[in-house]
Amino acid sequence: MDASELHDAVRTANDTALSRLGSSKSLYADTGGEMDPDPVLVAAADAEYAAAETFAAWADTEPHADAQAAFATTASEERDHYDAVRGELDAHEPASDDASAMHTHLRGLDTTAARLGGLLGRILATEKSKEQFTGFFVGQADPQTAQLFRDLKGDLDDQLERTLDLLDAVCAADDDWQTASDAADAAIQAAYDEYTAQLESMGVNPKPVC
């Protein structure tokens, strides 16, 4: 296996979950049903802050030099993302319990292959949320904020490229690829399970109605 094949396999295996995470119900779940600009921006800021904290912690404990540098770069990007979103709010105080289910999973990963796989899963899931944030502000006739989220999504392309390159460098055996695959699947599943639980707690069916 190589990184491109892993990317395709994870995307295919999680197609249903990713599709639903990319629906408007996902934003509804993230905001607790408060579909107004400020709650949406708060949800986005919380997510960016949690990501910055996760990847900074990885960078502090990662023994593989190239992966450590990549995690530090990603943490810096996510901190910039947080600052950019926070700038759209009058004020924002990160929640004391900032970790989503996905970030709780990611923070428990302690090998390089698992972390890279988890990062791949996080990127695939986050691509979907960025599309929803962009679409929301397009619908609000706020092109400036919509463009902000397009720009944030653009950074995910660089993160994906770094992650795939490192996976090819780090995964030397079948067990490494399996570890990365399992971590990626689990990251997406954690996000999906939380999405499902949030909607069900609000009396909303998480599955699309045909």
Side-chain angles (χ1 to χ4, degrees), residues 2-40:
D2 63 20
S4 179
E5 291 171 339
L6 176 64
H7 174 262
D8 291 345
V10 170
R11 187 186 290 276
T12 299
N14 295 280
D15 179 67
T16 297
L18 290 170
S19 176
R20 291 178 184 167
L21 288 170
S23 74
S24 59
K25 286 183 179 179
S26 182
L27 194 55
Y28 189 82
D30 285 342
T31 62
E34 297 184 60
M35 298 293 283
D36 293 310
D38 274 3
V40 169

Side-chain angles (χ1 to χ4, degrees), residues 7 9-10 12 30 45 65 74 84 87 95 112 120 165-166 172 182 185:
H7 174 262
V10 170
T12 299
D30 285 342
T74 302
T112 306
L120 173 60
D165 286 347
L166 278 165
D182 290 346
D185 289 341

Side-chain angles (χ1 to χ4, degrees), residues 20 25 205 207-210:
R20 291 178 184 167
K25 286 183 179 179
N205 184 352
K207 297 181 180 179
V209 178
C210 300

Side-chain angles (χ1 to χ4, degrees), residues 99-130:
S100 65
M102 180 173 64
H103 280 285
T104 297
H105 163 70
L106 294 177
R107 292 175 188 184
L109 301 176
D110 58 5
T111 69
T112 306
R115 286 172 168 177
L116 291 170
L119 180 53
L120 173 60
R122 186 260 172 182
I123 291 167
L124 291 175
T126 302
E127 285 176 342
K128 298 298 185 180
S129 66
K130 292 292 189 293

